[in-house]
Amino acid sequence: MGEPGVSNLERRYRVLLKVLPRWYRQDREEEMVGIFLAERDDDLDLEHSWPGWGETGAILGLSVRTHLAAGAVLTGVPAKVVWRGEVVRALGMLGLLLGLFYATAAIVSVVVGFGRPYQAPEPWWRVLELGPVVAFAALLNGRRTLAKVAAAAPVLVSMITLGQPGSVLTWSVFQLPSLVTFVCLCLGFHREAPTPPARRLLWWGGGAALLGVVGGFATGVGLLSVGLITVIVRVVAFVRGDFVLGRALSLFAVLQLVPLLFLVVAGGGVLVPAGGLALLLVLAAVAPVRQRVRA
């Protein structure tokens, strides 16, 4: 039995609004329900109707923006919500930089292998590996929709390789960090989120591309370099008291453990370095994150 005097439609709207954070609902739930129910006074409608698809989509979008708040668009946002949004956006950018690394490595590997005798032609879908390059440039220019569509290219590559049993395991392992951070990119950079600082990130993008050149010649070495830089920057973030970058790098370190452990199991010349770096990444993931104390 529902509350007396509360229609089924109102009850369904209130259930839908539970996707919003509690701090937001405390101030706005009654107002929003009132707007939804305005001019809907037909008894049959109130008994049997459900929230529309447009309203549901709008509430879900608002849920993302409020759970991952940014800037001064929302008022009364708890500090932990602001930090959460910043960490998700930082993790999304780290994933995009990793995508640049993979894209450059793919270009170099194709160029190096071009012209070799008995070299099989590259499949057409490998062009999708260049998606992170387009996504990086688009995001720095504030074109978020294009950035998200382009960043989805590695996801499509992973799906295509599902039809090629010999490539499934390798692609699944090495693309896992990109897939997870792609989700962070889509969620974190909503329409109210700030545009990333282009000048600073261009240097990071250049560094990712340079590592990609190394990775194009030797995949294991390039990947080890990415992991080592992650650990070094994690230490720098701790010393500087950069909570956002430190937390994002902790999560990023966890994601990199999967491909590194794959290299350890596969053995070869990178067995010892990969094992040692995996241990360092574990320490980077569990190490405390310090926030700078402001005077």
Side-chain angles (χ1 to χ4, degrees), residues 76-130:
V77 183
K80 66 178 181 180
V81 176
V82 177
W83 288 123
R84 183 192 305 145
E86 294 299 324
V87 168
V88 169
R89 280 182 282 280
L91 186 57
M93 284 306 308
L94 289 172
L96 204 48
L97 291 171
L98 184 64
L100 280 176
F101 163 78
Y102 281 130
T104 308
I107 294 173
V108 172
S109 65
V110 170
V111 172
V112 170
F114 184 76
R116 288 180 178 174
Y118 310 110
Q119 177 71 23
E122 295 291 340
W124 66 267
W125 48 261
R126 288 210 65 180
V127 71
L128 296 175
E129 296 179 49
L130 303 181

Side-chain angles (χ1 to χ4, degrees), residues 40-277:
R40 300 187 69 168
D41 52 6
D42 182 84
D43 291 339
L44 192 62
D45 182 33
L46 292 173
E47 183 67 22
H48 299 288
S49 293
W50 290 78
W53 289 110
E55 295 170 328
T56 301
I59 292 299
L60 293 178
L62 179 61
S63 175
V64 171
R65 298 195 300 275
T66 50
H67 280 290
L68 303 175
V73 178
L74 297 171
T75 58
V77 183
K80 66 178 181 180
V81 176
V82 177
W83 288 123
R84 183 192 305 145
E86 294 299 324
V87 168
V88 169
R89 280 182 282 280
L91 186 57
M93 284 306 308
L94 289 172
L96 204 48
L97 291 171
L98 184 64
L100 280 176
F101 163 78
Y102 281 130
T104 308
I107 294 173
V108 172
S109 65
V110 170
V111 172
V112 170
F114 184 76
R116 288 180 178 174
Y118 310 110
Q119 177 71 23
E122 295 291 340
W124 66 267
W125 48 261
R126 288 210 65 180
V127 71
L128 296 175
E129 296 179 49
L130 303 181
V133 179
V134 178
F136 185 75
L139 187 60
L140 295 189
N141 280 281
R143 304 180 65 179
R144 304 177 189 206
T145 301
L146 175 60
K148 294 173 184 179
V149 171
V155 181
L156 295 178
V157 171
S158 298
M159 294 177 63
I160 291 172
T161 56
L162 291 178
Q164 304 180 31
S167 304
V168 173
L169 179 60
T170 302
W171 271 107
S172 299
V173 167
F174 286 94
Q175 289 295 333
L176 178 63
S178 295
L179 298 182
V180 174
T181 49
F182 163 69
V183 175
C184 293
L185 186 74
C186 290
L187 294 177
F189 286 98
H190 49 76
R191 67 188 184 193
E192 294 169 2
T195 300
R199 180 175 299 180
R200 184 175 64 184
L201 286 172
L202 281 175
W203 287 100
W204 286 95
L210 183 60
L211 285 177
V213 173
V214 178
F217 287 98
T219 301
V221 175
L223 195 62
L224 291 175
S225 300
V226 172
L228 183 59
I229 290 176
T230 299
V231 173
I232 293 173
V233 179
R234 174 69 172 83
V235 174
V236 172
F238 176 81
V239 173
R240 294 179 57 188
D242 192 331
F243 176 87
V244 171
L245 183 59
R247 180 61 70 197
L249 285 168
S250 294
L251 298 173
F252 194 55
V254 173
L255 293 176
Q256 290 184 69
L257 282 172
V258 178
L260 272 176
L261 291 176
F262 179 85
L263 290 178
V264 172
V265 173
V270 296
L271 174 60
V272 175
L277 184 56

